[in-house]
Amino acid sequence: MQFQISTELIEKIQFLIEERNDEELLLHLEEVHHADIAEIITELSLDDATYLVRLLDSGKTSEAIMELEEGVRERILETLSAKEIADELVEMDTDDAADIMNELSPELQKQVISEIKDEQHAEDIVELLRYPEDSAGGLMAKELVKVNENWSVTGCMTEMRAQAENVTRVHSIYVVDDKNRLKGRLSLKDLLTAASNENIRDVYIPNVDYVTVHTEGEEVARIMQKYDLEAIPVIDEMRRLVGRITIDDIVDFIKEEAERDYQMAAGISEGVEADDNIFKQTRARLPWLLIGMFGGLGAAGIISGFQGSMAVFPKLLLFVPLIQATAGNVGVQSSAIVVQGLANGSLKGNIIAKRLFKEISLALVNGISIAIIVFIISSVWFETSYTESLSVGVALISVILLAAMIGTVIPIILDKNNIDPAVATGPFITTSNDVFGILTYFLIAKAILGF
Amino acid sequence: MQFQISTELIEKIQFLIEERNDEELLLHLEEVHHADIAEIITELSLDDATYLVRLLDSGKTSEAIMELEEGVRERILETLSAKEIADELVEMDTDDAADIMNELSPELQKQVISEIKDEQHAEDIVELLRYPEDSAGGLMAKELVKVNENWSVTGCMTEMRAQAENVTRVHSIYVVDDKNRLKGRLSLKDLLTAASNENIRDVYIPNVDYVTVHTEGEEVARIMQKYDLEAIPVIDEMRRLVGRITIDDIVDFIKEEAERDYQMAAGISEGVEADDNIFKQTRARLPWLLIGMFGGLGAAGIISGFQGSMAVFPKLLLFVPLIQATAGNVGVQSSAIVVQGLANGSLKGNIIAKRLFKEISLALVNGISIAIIVFIISSVWFETSYTESLSVGVALISVILLAAMIGTVIPIILDKNNIDPAVATGPFITTSNDVFGILTYFLIAKAILGF
């Protein structure tokens, strides 16, 4: 069943576009899923892609446009007129349309809105644009199926059929009162099995999960996952039902969050994609490299301060990279566990003491193991004296302990201050561990060797 | 609406369990969602938790057990008899029951299966156990709603109502022929709007996405996301409909994958949780630290080889941490972009040349910026000579180029050889970059300073 985009297909389409053979093109692409149309568009030149978007039915292209990478979509939308963009938006669910609008300039937004003939749709999009993109209000769609608690089951079926025409997928039927306040929900299953002379009031489930327009996206994702919901209604300050969020949007949200955290840990901000341009990539990466650079210069300053003693114990300098690498690795491990625990909710409450205890125990096990191996290898291989080997070993244990503590405490503190703890992983934690690690190393060597 | 597990509630429940006040306990927990019951269980002692599981209705506890962290669940299941476990499994969907069974010993599995009275359910679970956990067969549930293409719409409604009783959520109705081969699907919406005298054959949609029992979980996740599916049918080698996978299982799958990749990048293998014991944590972390340790010892060997020249140019040693940190950071950035691009499918085909070109351009921009800053600071602050500063600067640019290339090429090569490219991030890439970076530094200094 898998549809494969072959080079032949792309070439065929390029040929047909060149020939302006619209009939054949439409025939070829009629049965193709919009997600695959999006892949084809990505492979084409901008001119060909725009030609295809203009040619195909906007019911199909609107969905394909949603699937495109942001960069590709941006370039295509730039070539379309406000009227043409409006035609695409009309075919989209309101949440998708609002997402696209968010990518346009305020000027173009106004023009596009004025070109949307369906006033209700335009109004809905404008309403959604008011909410921050990552809030429940920004994630929700206006399309939903709702029934009044005072209706009968039979009346309800008729009304629902009409509403269902506008909704791609019916997950739940929401029950509201005369003032549009959310009262409960009804499953299609319940409706199918209910007697037709009953009233909605008698059959609906009053126990319904919901979020408000202000709930943060992360919290929405957490609730929907925890309670295995496929859709959740969104209410406003007056308890009025104003939209719903479906699980497919949350899947995208979770993936984006995970990718962002992953990149943050790797020292890349702004959520860049592999094919973003050099300027955007530099802006996302250079700042982190500069943090690392200043850390490296700080380390140079520390070594410089001990350079007199290093003339006496030159072999100590050999182990600086080892100390640094170990401090960095341990710090990243400890912080990753905490950041992930905070993100998936498995760490909560007053956890500093408990986590620190665990990380310190773990650091002792790992530290002592590594210190013994290094003690032996340095004595044998690098012919360090007993006190030099001891300095390196004790320093390793101390540095691992220190790195584990920094890696554990910093994300927790950031989280408590409502800063995304993920920024604490990657270059940030590595750099501070590098500097503290090297300082610790020389201080311990100084104490043991007495310089 | 958010239900909050307060310390008071936990204490109240502990008190009621101590008092063996079952009536009050049931009253208190009647309205509580199973996901919240799971949280309560996690907070209780093992004895109290087991008491609660035995007391509450297995319809509720079976779902709560599914929500528990694996470690907690394991401890509770150990205290239950095979008969009691069987009672829980009977209430679960087959895919969940099979997941639980996978956590039991083969001996206990047999006992539990023999205690399941519902033979069809037992048979279904045994069937699911045959498939690898991460394949479509291992992810699917046997519960689904299907209709025969030869039925009438009216007959279909009656039959569906009966089937729907056993299925928690109806996503799609699958259409099969007399031999149970998948023919297409039917949406509830279509069924609601179809005339009752029509046949299923006339109204169903023959174009249906599906996977086979052998499709890998990752591929299932990719297809369901790409085509925004909420459920996908699973067929066997004979095209027979054998199960379906729902999006909530895929959400869990995606989260687990993301967490595993994140941990891998941080140098933690085996997918440990924050509250796993020290032994498991050590096994997941120590190997990566040892890789870093050997890298550090390798770096010590390199510095040792140049120690004669270092007596003449002692200031060169100051910049070893800077070189090392920069090489590590750049390598992680480059590899993270590639690993992520490979994982989300945005990088495919013959990409080495294209990616290398981009990463090299980027490395030049970042490298030259950093080299200039370091050149100035080292001259002014550390009073390095012009040729020493030049060595550091040129080395920085070279090391950044090298690290970017290693970070880009290694994950691509691993991926081509069907090894998870995520292993290439974190300590692995950092360590190799450390060693190559320091070696490059000294070789360039040697060439420029002529020692």
Side-chain angles (χ1 to χ4, degrees), chain A residues 299-347:
Chain A
I302 294 170
I303 301 177
S304 169
F306 288 94
Q307 205 150 31
S309 324
M310 287 309 105
V312 189
F313 300 103
K315 282 182 181 160
L316 285 185
L317 285 172
L318 301 182
F319 301 98
V320 169
L322 171 65
I323 297 283
Q324 182 180 348
T326 310
N329 287 341
V330 170
V332 169
Q333 286 182 338
S334 303
S335 62
I337 282 284
V338 174
V339 167
Q340 202 161 64
L342 290 169
N344 69 23
S346 68
L347 291 180

Short mmCIF file of all heavy atoms in Angstrom, two decimals, chain A residues 299-347:
data_model
loop_
_atom_site.label_atom_id
_atom_site.label_comp_id
_atom_site.label_asym_id
_atom_site.label_seq_id
_atom_site.Cartn_x
_atom_site.Cartn_y
_atom_site.Cartn_z
N ALA A 299 39.28 28.30 31.40
CA ALA A 299 40.15 27.17 31.76
C ALA A 299 41.61 27.54 31.52
O ALA A 299 42.49 27.22 32.32
CB ALA A 299 39.76 25.93 30.96
N ALA A 300 41.86 28.25 30.39
CA ALA A 300 43.23 28.68 30.09
C ALA A 300 43.74 29.58 31.21
O ALA A 300 44.90 29.47 31.64
CB ALA A 300 43.26 29.41 28.75
N GLY A 301 42.87 30.45 31.69
CA GLY A 301 43.25 31.35 32.78
C GLY A 301 43.63 30.57 34.03
O GLY A 301 44.62 30.88 34.72
N ILE A 302 42.84 29.52 34.33
CA ILE A 302 43.11 28.71 35.52
C ILE A 302 44.46 28.01 35.39
O ILE A 302 45.31 28.06 36.29
CB ILE A 302 41.99 27.66 35.72
CG1 ILE A 302 40.67 28.37 36.05
CG2 ILE A 302 42.36 26.68 36.82
CD1 ILE A 302 39.46 27.46 36.04
N ILE A 303 44.67 27.37 34.22
CA ILE A 303 45.95 26.66 34.03
C ILE A 303 47.11 27.64 34.14
O ILE A 303 48.13 27.37 34.77
CB ILE A 303 45.99 25.95 32.66
CG1 ILE A 303 44.83 24.97 32.55
CG2 ILE A 303 47.31 25.22 32.46
CD1 ILE A 303 44.73 24.27 31.21
N SER A 304 46.90 28.80 33.53
CA SER A 304 47.94 29.85 33.55
C SER A 304 48.31 30.21 34.99
O SER A 304 49.49 30.41 35.31
CB SER A 304 47.40 31.05 32.78
OG SER A 304 48.23 32.15 32.97
N GLY A 305 47.29 30.26 35.86
CA GLY A 305 47.55 30.60 37.26
C GLY A 305 48.42 29.56 37.97
O GLY A 305 49.08 29.87 38.97
N PHE A 306 48.38 28.33 37.46
CA PHE A 306 49.16 27.26 38.09
C PHE A 306 50.43 26.96 37.30
O PHE A 306 51.11 25.98 37.59
CB PHE A 306 48.33 25.98 38.20
CG PHE A 306 47.24 26.07 39.25
CD1 PHE A 306 45.95 26.45 38.91
CD2 PHE A 306 47.51 25.80 40.59
CE1 PHE A 306 44.94 26.53 39.86
CE2 PHE A 306 46.51 25.89 41.55
CZ PHE A 306 45.23 26.26 41.18
N GLN A 307 50.76 27.80 36.32
CA GLN A 307 51.83 27.42 35.41
C GLN A 307 53.20 27.29 36.10
O GLN A 307 54.00 26.45 35.71
CB GLN A 307 51.92 28.39 34.23
CG GLN A 307 52.55 27.74 33.01
CD GLN A 307 52.04 28.32 31.70
OE1 GLN A 307 51.70 29.49 31.63
NE2 GLN A 307 51.98 27.50 30.67
N GLY A 308 53.41 28.10 37.16
CA GLY A 308 54.65 27.98 37.91
C GLY A 308 54.83 26.56 38.44
O GLY A 308 55.85 25.91 38.22
N SER A 309 53.80 26.05 39.09
CA SER A 309 53.87 24.71 39.67
C SER A 309 53.95 23.65 38.59
O SER A 309 54.53 22.57 38.79
CB SER A 309 52.62 24.43 40.51
OG SER A 309 52.19 25.60 41.16
N MET A 310 53.37 23.95 37.42
CA MET A 310 53.35 22.96 36.35
C MET A 310 54.76 22.67 35.83
O MET A 310 55.02 21.60 35.29
CB MET A 310 52.46 23.42 35.18
CG MET A 310 50.99 23.37 35.48
SD MET A 310 50.42 21.77 36.13
CE MET A 310 50.19 22.19 37.86
N ALA A 311 55.65 23.65 36.01
CA ALA A 311 57.03 23.42 35.62
C ALA A 311 57.63 22.30 36.48
O ALA A 311 58.45 21.50 36.03
CB ALA A 311 57.85 24.70 35.77
N VAL A 312 57.17 22.21 37.75
CA VAL A 312 57.66 21.18 38.66
C VAL A 312 56.95 19.84 38.42
O VAL A 312 57.57 18.78 38.48
CB VAL A 312 57.46 21.62 40.14
CG1 VAL A 312 58.18 20.65 41.07
CG2 VAL A 312 57.94 23.05 40.34
N PHE A 313 55.66 19.91 38.18
CA PHE A 313 54.88 18.68 37.95
C PHE A 313 54.27 18.68 36.54
O PHE A 313 53.05 18.74 36.39
CB PHE A 313 53.75 18.55 39.00
CG PHE A 313 54.25 18.50 40.40
CD1 PHE A 313 54.15 19.63 41.22
CD2 PHE A 313 54.81 17.34 40.93
CE1 PHE A 313 54.60 19.59 42.54
CE2 PHE A 313 55.26 17.30 42.24
CZ PHE A 313 55.16 18.43 43.05
N PRO A 314 55.11 18.63 35.50
CA PRO A 314 54.58 18.80 34.14
C PRO A 314 53.57 17.71 33.75
O PRO A 314 52.69 17.95 32.94
CB PRO A 314 55.82 18.72 33.26
CG PRO A 314 56.85 18.01 34.08
CD PRO A 314 56.56 18.36 35.51
N LYS A 315 53.68 16.54 34.39
CA LYS A 315 52.78 15.45 33.98
C LYS A 315 51.32 15.72 34.34
O LYS A 315 50.41 15.13 33.76
CB LYS A 315 53.23 14.13 34.61
CG LYS A 315 54.42 13.56 33.84
CD LYS A 315 54.88 12.24 34.39
CE LYS A 315 56.07 11.75 33.60
NZ LYS A 315 56.85 10.73 34.34
N LEU A 316 51.09 16.61 35.30
CA LEU A 316 49.70 16.91 35.69
C LEU A 316 48.90 17.44 34.49
O LEU A 316 47.70 17.20 34.37
CB LEU A 316 49.67 17.94 36.82
CG LEU A 316 50.05 17.44 38.21
CD1 LEU A 316 49.85 18.56 39.22
CD2 LEU A 316 49.19 16.23 38.60
N LEU A 317 49.58 18.19 33.62
CA LEU A 317 48.88 18.79 32.49
C LEU A 317 48.34 17.75 31.51
O LEU A 317 47.36 17.99 30.80
CB LEU A 317 49.81 19.75 31.74
CG LEU A 317 50.04 21.09 32.45
CD1 LEU A 317 51.11 21.89 31.74
CD2 LEU A 317 48.74 21.88 32.52
N LEU A 318 48.98 16.57 31.50
CA LEU A 318 48.52 15.53 30.58
C LEU A 318 47.06 15.14 30.83
O LEU A 318 46.36 14.73 29.93
CB LEU A 318 49.39 14.25 30.75
CG LEU A 318 50.88 14.36 30.51
CD1 LEU A 318 51.54 12.99 30.69
CD2 LEU A 318 51.14 14.88 29.11
N PHE A 319 46.65 15.28 32.10
CA PHE A 319 45.34 14.74 32.47
C PHE A 319 44.22 15.76 32.43
O PHE A 319 43.09 15.46 32.79
CB PHE A 319 45.43 14.02 33.83
CG PHE A 319 46.41 12.91 33.80
CD1 PHE A 319 47.71 13.09 34.28
CD2 PHE A 319 46.08 11.70 33.22
CE1 PHE A 319 48.63 12.06 34.21
CE2 PHE A 319 47.00 10.66 33.15
CZ PHE A 319 48.28 10.84 33.65
N VAL A 320 44.55 16.98 31.99
CA VAL A 320 43.50 18.01 31.88
C VAL A 320 42.38 17.57 30.93
O VAL A 320 41.20 17.66 31.29
CB VAL A 320 44.11 19.36 31.47
CG1 VAL A 320 43.02 20.35 31.09
CG2 VAL A 320 44.95 19.92 32.62
N PRO A 321 42.70 17.05 29.73
CA PRO A 321 41.60 16.63 28.84
C PRO A 321 40.73 15.54 29.47
O PRO A 321 39.52 15.53 29.29
CB PRO A 321 42.31 16.10 27.60
CG PRO A 321 43.64 16.76 27.60
CD PRO A 321 44.01 16.93 29.05
N LEU A 322 41.36 14.62 30.20
CA LEU A 322 40.62 13.53 30.84
C LEU A 322 39.64 14.09 31.88
O LEU A 322 38.47 13.71 31.92
CB LEU A 322 41.59 12.55 31.50
CG LEU A 322 40.98 11.48 32.40
CD1 LEU A 322 40.10 10.53 31.60
CD2 LEU A 322 42.07 10.68 33.12
N ILE A 323 40.16 15.00 32.73
CA ILE A 323 39.31 15.61 33.75
C ILE A 323 38.14 16.33 33.10
O ILE A 323 36.98 16.18 33.48
CB ILE A 323 40.14 16.63 34.59
CG1 ILE A 323 41.28 15.92 35.33
CG2 ILE A 323 39.25 17.43 35.52
CD1 ILE A 323 40.86 15.17 36.57
N GLN A 324 38.48 17.09 32.06
CA GLN A 324 37.46 17.90 31.39
C GLN A 324 36.39 17.02 30.73
O GLN A 324 35.18 17.24 30.91
CB GLN A 324 38.16 18.76 30.34
CG GLN A 324 37.24 19.68 29.59
CD GLN A 324 38.02 20.50 28.56
OE1 GLN A 324 39.26 20.53 28.58
NE2 GLN A 324 37.30 21.17 27.69
N ALA A 325 36.83 15.99 30.00
CA ALA A 325 35.88 15.13 29.30
C ALA A 325 34.96 14.43 30.30
O ALA A 325 33.75 14.35 30.11
CB ALA A 325 36.63 14.09 28.46
N THR A 326 35.54 13.95 31.41
CA THR A 326 34.75 13.23 32.40
C THR A 326 33.72 14.16 33.05
O THR A 326 32.55 13.81 33.19
CB THR A 326 35.66 12.61 33.47
OG1 THR A 326 36.70 11.89 32.81
CG2 THR A 326 34.89 11.69 34.38
N ALA A 327 34.17 15.35 33.43
CA ALA A 327 33.25 16.31 34.04
C ALA A 327 32.09 16.60 33.10
O ALA A 327 30.92 16.60 33.50
CB ALA A 327 33.98 17.60 34.39
N GLY A 328 32.41 16.81 31.83
CA GLY A 328 31.37 17.11 30.84
C GLY A 328 30.39 15.96 30.70
O GLY A 328 29.18 16.15 30.78
N ASN A 329 30.92 14.75 30.52
CA ASN A 329 30.04 13.59 30.31
C ASN A 329 29.12 13.33 31.50
O ASN A 329 27.93 13.09 31.34
CB ASN A 329 30.87 12.34 30.03
CG ASN A 329 31.49 12.36 28.64
OD1 ASN A 329 31.04 13.11 27.77
ND2 ASN A 329 32.52 11.57 28.43
N VAL A 330 29.69 13.39 32.71
CA VAL A 330 28.87 13.13 33.90
C VAL A 330 27.79 14.20 34.05
O VAL A 330 26.63 13.90 34.33
CB VAL A 330 29.75 13.09 35.17
CG1 VAL A 330 28.88 13.07 36.42
CG2 VAL A 330 30.67 11.88 35.13
N GLY A 331 28.16 15.45 33.83
CA GLY A 331 27.20 16.55 33.96
C GLY A 331 26.03 16.39 33.01
O GLY A 331 24.87 16.56 33.39
N VAL A 332 26.34 16.00 31.78
CA VAL A 332 25.28 15.84 30.78
C VAL A 332 24.37 14.67 31.15
O VAL A 332 23.15 14.76 31.07
CB VAL A 332 25.89 15.64 29.37
CG1 VAL A 332 24.83 15.19 28.38
CG2 VAL A 332 26.54 16.92 28.89
N GLN A 333 24.96 13.56 31.62
CA GLN A 333 24.14 12.42 32.04
C GLN A 333 23.19 12.81 33.16
O GLN A 333 21.99 12.55 33.10
CB GLN A 333 25.04 11.28 32.53
CG GLN A 333 25.76 10.54 31.42
CD GLN A 333 26.60 9.38 31.95
OE1 GLN A 333 26.98 9.36 33.12
NE2 GLN A 333 26.90 8.43 31.10
N SER A 334 23.73 13.45 34.20
CA SER A 334 22.89 13.79 35.35
C SER A 334 21.80 14.76 34.96
O SER A 334 20.65 14.62 35.37
CB SER A 334 23.73 14.42 36.47
OG SER A 334 24.76 13.55 36.84
N SER A 335 22.15 15.77 34.16
CA SER A 335 21.14 16.76 33.83
C SER A 335 20.08 16.18 32.89
O SER A 335 18.90 16.50 33.01
CB SER A 335 21.78 18.01 33.21
OG SER A 335 22.43 17.68 32.02
N ALA A 336 20.50 15.28 31.98
CA ALA A 336 19.53 14.70 31.05
C ALA A 336 18.45 13.92 31.80
O ALA A 336 17.27 14.01 31.48
CB ALA A 336 20.22 13.79 30.03
N ILE A 337 18.88 13.16 32.81
CA ILE A 337 17.92 12.38 33.59
C ILE A 337 16.93 13.31 34.30
O ILE A 337 15.72 13.07 34.32
CB ILE A 337 18.67 11.52 34.64
CG1 ILE A 337 19.29 10.29 33.97
CG2 ILE A 337 17.76 11.09 35.76
CD1 ILE A 337 18.30 9.19 33.64
N VAL A 338 17.45 14.40 34.87
CA VAL A 338 16.56 15.33 35.58
C VAL A 338 15.64 16.06 34.61
O VAL A 338 14.43 16.15 34.84
CB VAL A 338 17.40 16.35 36.39
CG1 VAL A 338 16.49 17.40 37.01
CG2 VAL A 338 18.19 15.64 37.48
N VAL A 339 16.20 16.56 33.51
CA VAL A 339 15.39 17.30 32.54
C VAL A 339 14.27 16.42 32.01
O VAL A 339 13.12 16.84 31.92
CB VAL A 339 16.28 17.81 31.38
CG1 VAL A 339 15.42 18.30 30.22
CG2 VAL A 339 17.20 18.91 31.86
N GLN A 340 14.59 15.16 31.72
CA GLN A 340 13.59 14.25 31.19
C GLN A 340 12.53 13.92 32.25
O GLN A 340 11.35 13.89 31.96
CB GLN A 340 14.28 12.98 30.74
CG GLN A 340 13.48 12.21 29.75
CD GLN A 340 14.37 11.25 29.01
OE1 GLN A 340 14.92 10.32 29.57
NE2 GLN A 340 14.50 11.45 27.72
N GLY A 341 12.99 13.70 33.47
CA GLY A 341 12.07 13.41 34.57
C GLY A 341 11.11 14.57 34.80
O GLY A 341 9.92 14.38 35.05
N LEU A 342 11.63 15.79 34.71
CA LEU A 342 10.77 16.97 34.88
C LEU A 342 9.78 17.08 33.73
O LEU A 342 8.61 17.41 33.91
CB LEU A 342 11.62 18.25 34.97
CG LEU A 342 12.47 18.42 36.23
CD1 LEU A 342 13.45 19.57 36.07
CD2 LEU A 342 11.58 18.67 37.45
N ALA A 343 10.27 16.78 32.51
CA ALA A 343 9.42 16.92 31.33
C ALA A 343 8.29 15.90 31.32
O ALA A 343 7.15 16.22 30.99
CB ALA A 343 10.25 16.79 30.05
N ASN A 344 8.58 14.64 31.69
CA ASN A 344 7.51 13.64 31.63
C ASN A 344 6.77 13.49 32.95
O ASN A 344 5.92 12.61 33.10
CB ASN A 344 8.04 12.29 31.11
CG ASN A 344 8.98 11.59 32.08
OD1 ASN A 344 8.96 11.85 33.28
ND2 ASN A 344 9.80 10.72 31.57
N GLY A 345 7.07 14.36 33.89
CA GLY A 345 6.27 14.40 35.11
C GLY A 345 6.63 13.33 36.13
O GLY A 345 5.98 13.23 37.17
N SER A 346 7.67 12.52 35.87
CA SER A 346 7.99 11.48 36.85
C SER A 346 8.76 12.06 38.04
O SER A 346 8.87 11.43 39.08
CB SER A 346 8.74 10.32 36.21
OG SER A 346 10.03 10.69 35.79
N LEU A 347 9.32 13.25 37.89
CA LEU A 347 9.95 13.94 39.02
C LEU A 347 9.08 15.12 39.40
O LEU A 347 8.81 16.00 38.59
CB LEU A 347 11.33 14.47 38.64
CG LEU A 347 12.44 13.46 38.39
CD1 LEU A 347 13.72 14.18 38.03
CD2 LEU A 347 12.68 12.61 39.63
#
